[in-house]
Amino acid sequence: MAHLLFRLRHVTDEEAMEIRALLAEHRFDVYETQAGFFRLGVDAIWLRDESQREAAETALAAYQVARFNHAQRELHEAQAQGNAPTLWRRLLEHPVQVALVLIAVGLIVALTVGPFLGLLRG
């Protein structure tokens, strides 16, 4: 029976290509499924051969540790150079987008809390 090896939902194209290359390099017998038009299925990579399960999961775990360490290094380098993403930098680069998000958050809070504040008055 097939084993769900790796979900592709919310995964960047770059990471998905790296995962596919890793699995092909190790010659794991895999196939992919798509969620479909109504998103009722699962975007995933499945392992056909159950006997390869432990080796495939070990290879994926090692890949994910390496990817995490690489991302951490990039973040620390950006922080050391003063290029790390911050709210202030985002505000300076995209002031309209940040203002619209803050307005939307304010509206959501007002619509959520407003009825309760009305109960306190009455």
Short mmCIF file of all heavy atoms in Angstrom, two decimals, residues 44-75:
data_model
loop_
_atom_site.label_atom_id
_atom_site.label_comp_id
_atom_site.label_asym_id
_atom_site.label_seq_id
_atom_site.Cartn_x
_atom_site.Cartn_y
_atom_site.Cartn_z
N ALA A 44 0.59 15.83 -2.97
CA ALA A 44 1.56 15.08 -2.18
C ALA A 44 2.42 14.18 -3.06
O ALA A 44 2.10 13.92 -4.22
CB ALA A 44 0.85 14.22 -1.13
N ILE A 45 3.51 13.73 -2.45
CA ILE A 45 4.36 12.71 -3.05
C ILE A 45 4.15 11.44 -2.21
O ILE A 45 4.25 11.48 -0.99
CB ILE A 45 5.83 13.14 -3.05
CG1 ILE A 45 6.02 14.40 -3.90
CG2 ILE A 45 6.72 12.01 -3.56
CD1 ILE A 45 7.42 14.97 -3.87
N TRP A 46 3.87 10.35 -2.90
CA TRP A 46 3.57 9.08 -2.25
C TRP A 46 4.66 8.08 -2.58
O TRP A 46 5.18 8.06 -3.68
CB TRP A 46 2.24 8.54 -2.73
CG TRP A 46 1.08 9.42 -2.42
CD1 TRP A 46 0.72 10.55 -3.08
CD2 TRP A 46 0.14 9.25 -1.37
NE1 TRP A 46 -0.40 11.11 -2.50
CE2 TRP A 46 -0.78 10.32 -1.45
CE3 TRP A 46 -0.02 8.30 -0.37
CZ2 TRP A 46 -1.84 10.46 -0.57
CZ3 TRP A 46 -1.09 8.43 0.51
CH2 TRP A 46 -1.98 9.49 0.41
N LEU A 47 4.96 7.22 -1.63
CA LEU A 47 5.93 6.15 -1.82
C LEU A 47 5.18 4.86 -2.12
O LEU A 47 4.33 4.44 -1.34
CB LEU A 47 6.77 6.00 -0.54
CG LEU A 47 7.92 5.01 -0.57
CD1 LEU A 47 8.98 5.47 -1.57
CD2 LEU A 47 8.54 4.89 0.82
N ARG A 48 5.50 4.24 -3.25
CA ARG A 48 4.81 3.00 -3.63
C ARG A 48 5.31 1.79 -2.84
O ARG A 48 4.53 0.97 -2.39
CB ARG A 48 5.05 2.72 -5.12
CG ARG A 48 4.19 3.51 -6.03
CD ARG A 48 4.27 2.96 -7.46
NE ARG A 48 3.44 3.74 -8.33
CZ ARG A 48 3.89 4.64 -9.19
NH1 ARG A 48 5.17 4.86 -9.29
NH2 ARG A 48 3.07 5.31 -9.96
N ASP A 49 6.62 1.69 -2.68
CA ASP A 49 7.24 0.51 -2.08
C ASP A 49 7.43 0.72 -0.58
O ASP A 49 8.26 1.51 -0.15
CB ASP A 49 8.59 0.25 -2.76
CG ASP A 49 9.22 -1.05 -2.32
OD1 ASP A 49 8.63 -1.75 -1.46
OD2 ASP A 49 10.31 -1.37 -2.83
N GLU A 50 6.66 0.02 0.22
CA GLU A 50 6.71 0.16 1.68
C GLU A 50 8.08 -0.21 2.25
O GLU A 50 8.48 0.31 3.29
CB GLU A 50 5.62 -0.73 2.31
CG GLU A 50 5.45 -0.56 3.79
CD GLU A 50 4.81 0.77 4.19
OE1 GLU A 50 4.05 1.34 3.39
OE2 GLU A 50 5.08 1.22 5.31
N SER A 51 8.82 -1.05 1.57
CA SER A 51 10.14 -1.45 2.08
C SER A 51 11.15 -0.30 2.01
O SER A 51 12.18 -0.34 2.68
CB SER A 51 10.66 -2.66 1.30
OG SER A 51 10.92 -2.32 -0.04
N GLN A 52 10.85 0.73 1.24
CA GLN A 52 11.73 1.90 1.12
C GLN A 52 11.36 3.01 2.11
O GLN A 52 12.02 4.04 2.15
CB GLN A 52 11.67 2.47 -0.29
CG GLN A 52 12.19 1.57 -1.36
CD GLN A 52 12.04 2.20 -2.73
OE1 GLN A 52 11.09 2.93 -3.00
NE2 GLN A 52 13.00 1.90 -3.61
N ARG A 53 10.33 2.79 2.88
CA ARG A 53 9.78 3.85 3.72
C ARG A 53 10.81 4.44 4.68
O ARG A 53 10.97 5.66 4.76
CB ARG A 53 8.60 3.30 4.51
CG ARG A 53 7.94 4.31 5.40
CD ARG A 53 6.73 3.72 6.09
NE ARG A 53 6.14 4.66 7.00
CZ ARG A 53 5.05 4.43 7.68
NH1 ARG A 53 4.43 3.27 7.55
NH2 ARG A 53 4.57 5.32 8.50
N GLU A 54 11.50 3.62 5.44
CA GLU A 54 12.45 4.13 6.43
C GLU A 54 13.58 4.92 5.77
O GLU A 54 13.95 6.00 6.24
CB GLU A 54 13.02 2.97 7.25
CG GLU A 54 13.86 3.44 8.43
CD GLU A 54 14.30 2.29 9.31
OE1 GLU A 54 13.58 1.29 9.42
OE2 GLU A 54 15.40 2.43 9.88
N ALA A 55 14.11 4.39 4.68
CA ALA A 55 15.21 5.08 3.98
C ALA A 55 14.73 6.41 3.41
O ALA A 55 15.45 7.41 3.47
CB ALA A 55 15.76 4.19 2.88
N ALA A 56 13.52 6.43 2.86
CA ALA A 56 12.98 7.66 2.27
C ALA A 56 12.73 8.70 3.36
O ALA A 56 13.06 9.88 3.18
CB ALA A 56 11.69 7.36 1.52
N GLU A 57 12.16 8.30 4.47
CA GLU A 57 11.90 9.24 5.56
C GLU A 57 13.21 9.76 6.15
O GLU A 57 13.31 10.93 6.53
CB GLU A 57 11.03 8.58 6.63
CG GLU A 57 9.59 8.41 6.16
CD GLU A 57 8.70 7.70 7.16
OE1 GLU A 57 9.24 7.13 8.14
OE2 GLU A 57 7.48 7.71 6.96
N THR A 58 14.22 8.92 6.22
CA THR A 58 15.53 9.34 6.72
C THR A 58 16.15 10.37 5.77
O THR A 58 16.69 11.39 6.22
CB THR A 58 16.46 8.13 6.88
OG1 THR A 58 15.86 7.21 7.79
CG2 THR A 58 17.82 8.55 7.40
N ALA A 59 16.06 10.10 4.47
CA ALA A 59 16.61 11.04 3.48
C ALA A 59 15.88 12.37 3.54
O ALA A 59 16.51 13.44 3.48
CB ALA A 59 16.51 10.43 2.08
N LEU A 60 14.55 12.35 3.67
CA LEU A 60 13.78 13.59 3.77
C LEU A 60 14.10 14.36 5.05
O LEU A 60 14.20 15.58 5.04
CB LEU A 60 12.28 13.31 3.70
CG LEU A 60 11.73 13.04 2.31
CD1 LEU A 60 10.26 12.66 2.39
CD2 LEU A 60 11.90 14.25 1.42
N ALA A 61 14.26 13.65 6.15
CA ALA A 61 14.60 14.30 7.41
C ALA A 61 15.96 14.98 7.33
O ALA A 61 16.12 16.12 7.78
CB ALA A 61 14.58 13.29 8.55
N ALA A 62 16.92 14.31 6.73
CA ALA A 62 18.25 14.91 6.56
C ALA A 62 18.18 16.13 5.66
O ALA A 62 18.82 17.16 5.94
CB ALA A 62 19.22 13.88 5.98
N TYR A 63 17.38 16.06 4.59
CA TYR A 63 17.20 17.21 3.69
C TYR A 63 16.59 18.39 4.44
O TYR A 63 17.03 19.53 4.30
CB TYR A 63 16.32 16.82 2.50
CG TYR A 63 15.79 18.02 1.76
CD1 TYR A 63 16.60 18.71 0.87
CD2 TYR A 63 14.50 18.49 1.98
CE1 TYR A 63 16.13 19.83 0.21
CE2 TYR A 63 14.02 19.60 1.33
CZ TYR A 63 14.84 20.28 0.45
OH TYR A 63 14.37 21.39 -0.19
N GLN A 64 15.56 18.12 5.24
CA GLN A 64 14.88 19.20 5.94
C GLN A 64 15.78 19.84 6.99
O GLN A 64 15.73 21.05 7.19
CB GLN A 64 13.58 18.69 6.55
CG GLN A 64 12.54 18.42 5.48
CD GLN A 64 11.26 17.81 6.03
OE1 GLN A 64 11.26 17.18 7.08
NE2 GLN A 64 10.18 17.99 5.30
N VAL A 65 16.61 19.06 7.66
CA VAL A 65 17.57 19.63 8.62
C VAL A 65 18.56 20.54 7.88
O VAL A 65 18.85 21.65 8.33
CB VAL A 65 18.30 18.51 9.40
CG1 VAL A 65 19.50 19.04 10.14
CG2 VAL A 65 17.34 17.83 10.35
N ALA A 66 19.05 20.07 6.75
CA ALA A 66 20.00 20.87 5.97
C ALA A 66 19.34 22.15 5.47
O ALA A 66 19.95 23.23 5.50
CB ALA A 66 20.54 20.05 4.80
N ARG A 67 18.10 22.06 5.01
CA ARG A 67 17.39 23.26 4.53
C ARG A 67 17.15 24.24 5.67
O ARG A 67 17.30 25.45 5.49
CB ARG A 67 16.07 22.84 3.88
CG ARG A 67 15.34 23.98 3.22
CD ARG A 67 14.17 23.46 2.39
NE ARG A 67 13.38 24.55 1.86
CZ ARG A 67 13.67 25.18 0.72
NH1 ARG A 67 14.72 24.83 0.01
NH2 ARG A 67 12.90 26.16 0.30
N PHE A 68 16.78 23.74 6.83
CA PHE A 68 16.57 24.60 7.99
C PHE A 68 17.87 25.31 8.38
O PHE A 68 17.87 26.52 8.63
CB PHE A 68 16.04 23.78 9.17
CG PHE A 68 15.91 24.56 10.44
CD1 PHE A 68 14.84 25.40 10.65
CD2 PHE A 68 16.88 24.47 11.44
CE1 PHE A 68 14.71 26.13 11.82
CE2 PHE A 68 16.77 25.20 12.60
CZ PHE A 68 15.68 26.04 12.80
N ASN A 69 18.96 24.56 8.43
CA ASN A 69 20.26 25.16 8.79
C ASN A 69 20.68 26.21 7.78
O ASN A 69 21.21 27.27 8.15
CB ASN A 69 21.33 24.08 8.92
CG ASN A 69 21.11 23.20 10.13
OD1 ASN A 69 20.47 23.61 11.10
ND2 ASN A 69 21.60 21.98 10.08
N HIS A 70 20.42 25.96 6.50
CA HIS A 70 20.76 26.94 5.45
C HIS A 70 19.93 28.22 5.63
O HIS A 70 20.47 29.33 5.53
CB HIS A 70 20.51 26.33 4.07
CG HIS A 70 20.76 27.26 2.94
ND1 HIS A 70 22.03 27.66 2.60
CD2 HIS A 70 19.92 27.88 2.08
CE1 HIS A 70 21.96 28.49 1.57
NE2 HIS A 70 20.68 28.64 1.25
N ALA A 71 18.65 28.07 5.92
CA ALA A 71 17.78 29.24 6.14
C ALA A 71 18.23 30.03 7.36
O ALA A 71 18.22 31.27 7.36
CB ALA A 71 16.32 28.80 6.28
N GLN A 72 18.62 29.32 8.42
CA GLN A 72 19.12 29.99 9.63
C GLN A 72 20.39 30.77 9.33
O GLN A 72 20.55 31.91 9.80
CB GLN A 72 19.38 28.96 10.74
CG GLN A 72 18.13 28.42 11.37
CD GLN A 72 17.41 29.47 12.18
OE1 GLN A 72 18.01 30.25 12.89
NE2 GLN A 72 16.09 29.50 12.03
N ARG A 73 21.30 30.17 8.57
CA ARG A 73 22.54 30.87 8.20
C ARG A 73 22.24 32.13 7.40
O ARG A 73 22.82 33.19 7.66
CB ARG A 73 23.45 29.95 7.39
CG ARG A 73 24.36 29.08 8.21
CD ARG A 73 25.47 28.45 7.37
NE ARG A 73 24.99 27.81 6.15
CZ ARG A 73 24.51 26.58 6.07
NH1 ARG A 73 24.44 25.83 7.16
NH2 ARG A 73 24.12 26.07 4.92
N GLU A 74 21.31 32.03 6.44
CA GLU A 74 20.95 33.20 5.63
C GLU A 74 20.36 34.30 6.50
O GLU A 74 20.66 35.48 6.31
CB GLU A 74 19.96 32.81 4.54
CG GLU A 74 20.58 32.07 3.39
CD GLU A 74 19.56 31.74 2.31
OE1 GLU A 74 18.33 31.89 2.54
OE2 GLU A 74 19.99 31.32 1.22
N LEU A 75 19.51 33.93 7.46
CA LEU A 75 18.91 34.93 8.34
C LEU A 75 19.98 35.59 9.20
O LEU A 75 19.99 36.82 9.34
CB LEU A 75 17.85 34.28 9.23
CG LEU A 75 17.20 35.20 10.26
CD1 LEU A 75 16.47 36.34 9.59
CD2 LEU A 75 16.27 34.42 11.16
#
